[in-house]
Amino acid sequence: MNISTENTIAQPVGTTLERYIMRKQAEFPFATGELSQLLRDIALAGKIVNREVNRAGLTSIIGSMGQQNVQGEAQQKLDVEANIRFIRALTNGGEACAVLSEEEDDIIHTGNCQGKYVVAIDPLDGSSNIDVNISIGTIFSIYRRVTPVGESATRADFLQGGRQQVAAGYILYGSSTMLVYTTGHGVAGFTYENSLGEFFLSHPSITIPTSGTVFSCNEGYWFDYPQYVRDYLMQCKREGQSGRYVGSLVADYHRNLLTGGIYLYPPTGKNPNGKLRVLYEAFPLAFLIEQAGGRAESGTGPILDIVATEFHQRTPLFVGSPALVERLLTETEVAPKEEAIEQNHA
Ligand code: P6P
């Protein structure tokens, strides 16, 4: 029997994440496999968290822990579960010597002092949406350690510049679960097939549309927004653009990555330096968007040019299609940098 792709039987299932990682590793003769293993460890934890998210409503896993995390934010049970799962997977995998998690005040030492990498992670971003069945996500950033292998990691291993990341990505627990990541050679997306327990390559090379007609922001803060942001949003509305805001960063980001658009989290009265975290939200998403042909800015420069000085420091974030970010920063009445200077001198 001639088994060809035209047949309606035995259709190929596609390229698994494992096979993709191995093929990509083979393209780099000096690759030793540690980063590949690290990506596998993250994917494994993502599968486990995916299972917990999918059955959250059926078990006692939804709802609040009745306590706050180090950020002073109400901690959801799934936040704690996801944090444990990723730290355990990275510890058991052996490639990461330390982890910085949004859920932990300080570095978590895995005991893998021979590990060449450190991982900054938001185990479950947008977790306040869990109870109402809205998409949530994991965001991760991988650095090569700067301290000697064999010693314990230090702050310096995490307080690097955005452009020192060696890999970054997210897992979106949405209508389908997707893993999207980059190692600096483009952006690939994988969709999880629950029945097989595998991620399959579904988006081999993601590039963001140059422009778009979507803006994503919480307009409840309108009167807090800098004038240049209000000017930009007014222009969007005059042109009949669409406001799309899930309130879950990974969901809004992923939609704009595929269809074009801009996500804005400007400085607000409640968060004068922006709400989003540099090390495990802005940096990884900025790395991905630049690899996909987009832009990520803080309002006073590219996100990736920031050099982190604190583990949980925040930044304003404007990220998405390059033409939209450019327009925000240059075509509005008061250029951001001028406004920032004015505010500082006010
Ligand atoms: P706001 C969720 O808490 C989060 O970190 C992002 O996922 C989301 O985009 C943003 O904050 C929502 O913040 O202030 O609009 O509720």
Side-chain angles (χ1 to χ4, degrees):
M1 175 191 296
N2 170 24
I3 297 179
S4 70
T5 51
E6 287 71 42
N7 285 356
T8 55
I9 60 170
Q11 288 294 315
V13 292
T15 302
T16 62
L17 173 65
E18 170 57 32
R19 190 170 292 169
Y20 180 89
I21 288 173
M22 292 314 292
R23 282 180 186 161
K24 285 301 174 183
Q25 180 182 315
E27 292 174 11
F28 300 93
F30 300 105
T32 54
E34 283 114 326
L35 181 58
S36 297
Q37 183 53 47
L38 191 44
L39 292 168
R40 288 188 197 97
D41 298 335
I42 289 171
L44 172 60
K47 292 179 184 178
I48 298 167
V49 171
N50 175 63
R51 180 192 64 189
E52 305 302 329
V53 167
N54 287 345
R55 64 185 191 184
L58 301 174
T59 63
S60 59
I61 200 70
I62 58 176
S64 169
M65 288 289 291
Q67 62 192 31
Q68 291 185 332
N69 63 12
V70 294
Q71 321 293 341
E73 296 162 346
Q75 202 169 35
Q76 304 294 312
K77 291 177 184 172
L78 260 179
D79 282 323
V80 175
E81 166 90 20
N83 188 49
I84 292 167
R85 296 292 186 186
F86 279 99
I87 290 172
R88 186 180 296 161
L90 291 167
T91 298
N92 294 341
E95 305 304 345
C97 61
V99 179
L100 175 69
S101 167
E102 182 185 53
E103 300 300 326
E104 305 283 349
D105 193 21
D106 206 343
I107 298 173
I108 300 296
H109 294 279
T110 61
N112 306 319
C113 290
Q114 297 302 320
K116 293 189 331 193
Y117 298 99
V118 296
V119 178
I121 190 165
D122 186 351
L124 208 56
D125 177 77
S127 54
S128 57
N129 293 301
I130 292 168
D131 296 1
V132 293
N133 205 14
I134 287 175
S135 301
I136 50 184
T138 297
I139 312 169
F140 62 90
S141 170
I142 301 173
Y143 285 98
R144 196 168 286 103
R145 67 184 299 178
V146 296
T147 53
V149 169
E151 297 178 7
S152 292
T154 70
R155 291 170 55 85
D157 291 309
F158 291 92
L159 299 180
Q160 303 188 47
R163 300 197 185 280
Q164 273 62 56
Q165 295 175 89
V166 295
Y170 59 82
I171 300 168
L172 173 61
Y173 311 98
S175 51
S176 67
T177 293
M178 279 195 70
L179 167 65
V180 177
Y181 81 90
T182 183
T183 58
H185 305 279
V187 177
F190 300 80
T191 300
Y192 189 59
E193 171 50 73
N194 274 293
S195 65
L196 298 176
E198 287 280 7
F199 281 104
F200 286 93
L201 183 65
S202 53
H203 299 70
S205 176
I206 300 176
T207 55
I208 189 169
T210 305
S211 190
T213 58
V214 168
F215 58 89
S216 305
C217 63
N218 183 341
E219 293 193 65
Y221 301 124
W222 178 269
F223 294 104
D224 269 357
Y225 283 170
Q227 187 58 48
Y228 74 93
V229 173
R230 292 203 293 257
D231 290 347
Y232 175 77
L233 293 172
M234 286 303 285
Q235 289 169 1
C236 292
K237 295 178 180 184
R238 288 189 199 101
E239 294 166 4
Q241 295 195 27
S242 297
R244 292 283 185 275
Y245 193 65
V246 178
S248 185
L249 172 57
V250 176
D252 283 313
Y253 177 96
H254 183 74
R255 180 202 53 248
N256 293 350
L257 175 65
L258 297 188
T259 62
I262 182 172
Y263 172 97
L264 309 92
Y265 209 107
T268 64
K270 183 179 171 187
N271 290 295
N273 294 318
K275 176 180 183 183
L276 302 174
R277 312 292 181 170
V278 169
L279 282 175
Y280 39 78
E281 290 172 336
F283 272 178
L285 296 182
F287 187 15
L288 281 163
I289 209 80
E290 287 199 1
Q291 285 291 312
R295 273 185 75 173
E297 294 276 339
S298 66
T300 53
I303 289 288
L304 291 181
D305 288 351
I306 295 171
V307 179
T309 55
E310 293 300 327
F311 287 156
H312 301 289
Q313 76 183 66
R314 303 172 190 261
T315 177
L317 177 64
F318 307 105
V319 58
S321 296
L324 301 180
V325 176
E326 176 68 16
R327 187 175 182 190
L328 168 72
L329 298 178
T330 59
E331 289 179 23
T332 47
E333 226 173 86
V334 177
K337 287 188 180 178
E338 291 163 29
E339 186 158 3
I341 293 166
E342 282 167 17
Q343 282 173 340
N344 290 340
H345 293 153

CSV table of all heavy atoms in Angstrom, one decimal, residues 125-129 218 221 245 247-250 252 263 265 270 275-276 281, ligand 1:
chain,number,residue,atom,x,y,z
A,125,ASP,N,0.8,33.9,35.6
A,125,ASP,CA,0.4,35.3,35.6
A,125,ASP,C,-1.0,35.4,35.2
A,125,ASP,O,-1.6,34.7,34.4
A,125,ASP,CB,1.3,36.0,34.5
A,125,ASP,CG,0.8,37.5,34.3
A,125,ASP,OD1,1.2,38.3,35.1
A,125,ASP,OD2,0.0,37.7,33.4
A,126,GLY,N,-1.7,36.4,35.9
A,126,GLY,CA,-3.1,36.6,35.6
A,126,GLY,C,-4.0,35.7,36.4
A,126,GLY,O,-5.1,35.4,36.1
A,127,SER,N,-3.4,35.2,37.5
A,127,SER,CA,-4.1,34.1,38.3
A,127,SER,C,-5.5,34.6,38.9
A,127,SER,O,-6.3,33.7,39.2
A,127,SER,CB,-3.2,33.5,39.4
A,127,SER,OG,-2.8,34.6,40.2
A,128,SER,N,-5.7,35.9,39.0
A,128,SER,CA,-7.0,36.3,39.5
A,128,SER,C,-8.1,35.9,38.5
A,128,SER,O,-9.3,36.0,38.8
A,128,SER,CB,-7.0,37.8,39.7
A,128,SER,OG,-6.6,38.5,38.5
A,129,ASN,N,-7.7,35.5,37.3
A,129,ASN,CA,-8.7,35.1,36.3
A,129,ASN,C,-9.1,33.7,36.3
A,129,ASN,O,-9.9,33.2,35.6
A,129,ASN,CB,-8.1,35.4,34.9
A,129,ASN,CG,-8.0,36.9,34.6
A,129,ASN,OD1,-8.9,37.7,34.7
A,129,ASN,ND2,-6.8,37.4,34.4
A,218,ASN,N,-5.9,48.9,30.3
A,218,ASN,CA,-6.9,49.1,31.3
A,218,ASN,C,-7.3,50.6,31.3
A,218,ASN,O,-6.7,51.4,32.0
A,218,ASN,CB,-6.5,48.6,32.6
A,218,ASN,CG,-7.6,48.7,33.7
A,218,ASN,OD1,-8.6,49.4,33.4
A,218,ASN,ND2,-7.5,47.9,34.7
A,221,TYR,N,-7.6,53.4,34.2
A,221,TYR,CA,-6.6,54.3,34.7
A,221,TYR,C,-6.4,55.5,33.8
A,221,TYR,O,-5.4,56.2,33.9
A,221,TYR,CB,-5.2,53.5,34.7
A,221,TYR,CG,-5.2,52.3,35.6
A,221,TYR,CD1,-4.9,51.0,35.1
A,221,TYR,CD2,-5.6,52.3,36.9
A,221,TYR,CE1,-4.9,49.9,35.8
A,221,TYR,CE2,-5.6,51.2,37.7
A,221,TYR,CZ,-5.2,50.0,37.2
A,221,TYR,OH,-5.2,48.8,37.9
A,245,TYR,N,-8.9,43.9,25.8
A,245,TYR,CA,-8.1,43.8,27.1
A,245,TYR,C,-8.7,42.6,27.9
A,245,TYR,O,-9.8,42.8,28.5
A,245,TYR,CB,-8.1,45.1,27.9
A,245,TYR,CG,-7.1,45.1,29.0
A,245,TYR,CD1,-5.8,45.1,28.7
A,245,TYR,CD2,-7.5,45.2,30.3
A,245,TYR,CE1,-4.8,45.2,29.8
A,245,TYR,CE2,-6.6,45.3,31.4
A,245,TYR,CZ,-5.3,45.3,31.1
A,245,TYR,OH,-4.4,45.4,32.1
A,247,GLY,N,-7.1,41.3,30.5
A,247,GLY,CA,-6.6,41.5,31.9
A,247,GLY,C,-5.7,40.3,32.3
A,247,GLY,O,-5.5,40.1,33.4
A,248,SER,N,-5.2,39.6,31.3
A,248,SER,CA,-4.3,38.5,31.5
A,248,SER,C,-3.2,38.8,30.4
A,248,SER,O,-3.4,38.6,29.2
A,248,SER,CB,-4.9,37.2,31.3
A,248,SER,OG,-4.0,36.1,31.6
A,249,LEU,N,-2.0,39.2,30.9
A,249,LEU,CA,-0.9,39.7,30.0
A,249,LEU,C,-0.6,38.7,28.9
A,249,LEU,O,-0.5,39.1,27.7
A,249,LEU,CB,0.3,39.9,30.8
A,249,LEU,CG,1.6,40.3,30.1
A,249,LEU,CD1,1.4,41.5,29.2
A,249,LEU,CD2,2.7,40.5,31.1
A,250,VAL,N,-0.4,37.4,29.2
A,250,VAL,CA,0.0,36.4,28.2
A,250,VAL,C,-1.1,36.3,27.1
A,250,VAL,O,-0.8,36.2,25.9
A,250,VAL,CB,0.3,35.1,28.8
A,250,VAL,CG1,0.6,34.0,27.7
A,250,VAL,CG2,1.5,35.2,29.8
A,252,ASP,N,-3.4,38.7,26.2
A,252,ASP,CA,-3.4,39.9,25.3
A,252,ASP,C,-2.2,39.9,24.4
A,252,ASP,O,-2.3,40.3,23.3
A,252,ASP,CB,-3.4,41.1,26.2
A,252,ASP,CG,-4.8,41.4,26.8
A,252,ASP,OD1,-5.8,41.3,26.0
A,252,ASP,OD2,-5.0,41.6,28.0
A,263,TYR,N,0.1,46.3,23.3
A,263,TYR,CA,-0.3,46.2,24.7
A,263,TYR,C,0.3,47.4,25.5
A,263,TYR,O,1.6,47.6,25.3
A,263,TYR,CB,0.1,44.9,25.3
A,263,TYR,CG,-0.1,44.7,26.8
A,263,TYR,CD1,-1.2,44.0,27.3
A,263,TYR,CD2,0.8,45.2,27.7
A,263,TYR,CE1,-1.4,43.9,28.6
A,263,TYR,CE2,0.6,45.1,29.1
A,263,TYR,CZ,-0.5,44.4,29.5
A,263,TYR,OH,-0.7,44.2,30.9
A,265,TYR,N,0.9,49.0,29.3
A,265,TYR,CA,0.7,49.2,30.8
A,265,TYR,C,1.6,50.4,31.2
A,265,TYR,O,2.7,50.2,31.6
A,265,TYR,CB,1.1,48.0,31.6
A,265,TYR,CG,0.2,47.9,32.8
A,265,TYR,CD1,-0.8,47.1,33.0
A,265,TYR,CD2,0.5,48.9,33.9
A,265,TYR,CE1,-1.6,47.1,34.1
A,265,TYR,CE2,-0.3,48.9,35.0
A,265,TYR,CZ,-1.4,48.1,35.1
A,265,TYR,OH,-2.2,48.1,36.2
A,270,LYS,N,-1.2,54.2,41.1
A,270,LYS,CA,-1.0,53.0,41.9
A,270,LYS,C,0.3,52.4,41.7
A,270,LYS,O,1.0,51.9,42.6
A,270,LYS,CB,-2.1,52.0,41.6
A,270,LYS,CG,-2.2,50.8,42.5
A,270,LYS,CD,-3.4,49.9,42.1
A,270,LYS,CE,-3.3,48.5,42.7
A,270,LYS,NZ,-4.4,47.7,42.2
A,275,LYS,N,3.3,48.4,36.4
A,275,LYS,CA,2.9,47.3,37.2
A,275,LYS,C,3.8,46.1,36.9
A,275,LYS,O,4.1,45.3,37.8
A,275,LYS,CB,1.4,46.9,37.0
A,275,LYS,CG,1.0,45.7,37.8
A,275,LYS,CD,-0.5,45.4,37.6
A,275,LYS,CE,-0.9,44.2,38.4
A,275,LYS,NZ,-2.3,43.8,38.1
A,276,LEU,N,4.1,45.9,35.7
A,276,LEU,CA,4.8,44.7,35.3
A,276,LEU,C,6.2,44.6,35.6
A,276,LEU,O,6.9,45.6,35.7
A,276,LEU,CB,4.5,44.5,33.7
A,276,LEU,CG,3.1,44.5,33.4
A,276,LEU,CD1,2.9,44.5,31.9
A,276,LEU,CD2,2.3,43.4,34.0
A,281,GLU,N,8.6,39.3,33.3
A,281,GLU,CA,7.5,39.6,32.5
A,281,GLU,C,8.0,40.4,31.3
A,281,GLU,O,8.0,40.0,30.1
A,281,GLU,CB,6.4,40.3,33.3
A,281,GLU,CG,5.7,39.4,34.2
A,281,GLU,CD,4.7,40.2,35.2
A,281,GLU,OE1,4.9,41.4,35.4
A,281,GLU,OE2,3.8,39.5,35.7
B,1,P6P,P1,-4.8,45.6,35.8
B,1,P6P,C1,-2.3,40.3,36.0
B,1,P6P,O1,-2.3,40.7,37.4
B,1,P6P,C2,-1.3,41.2,35.3
B,1,P6P,O2,-0.1,41.1,35.9
B,1,P6P,C3,-1.3,41.0,33.8
B,1,P6P,O3,-1.5,39.6,33.5
B,1,P6P,C4,-2.4,41.8,33.3
B,1,P6P,O4,-2.2,42.3,32.0
B,1,P6P,C5,-2.4,43.0,34.3
B,1,P6P,O5,-1.8,42.6,35.5
B,1,P6P,C6,-3.8,43.5,34.6
B,1,P6P,O6,-3.6,44.6,35.5
B,1,P6P,O7,-4.2,46.7,36.7
B,1,P6P,O8,-5.3,46.1,34.5
B,1,P6P,O9,-5.8,44.7,36.5
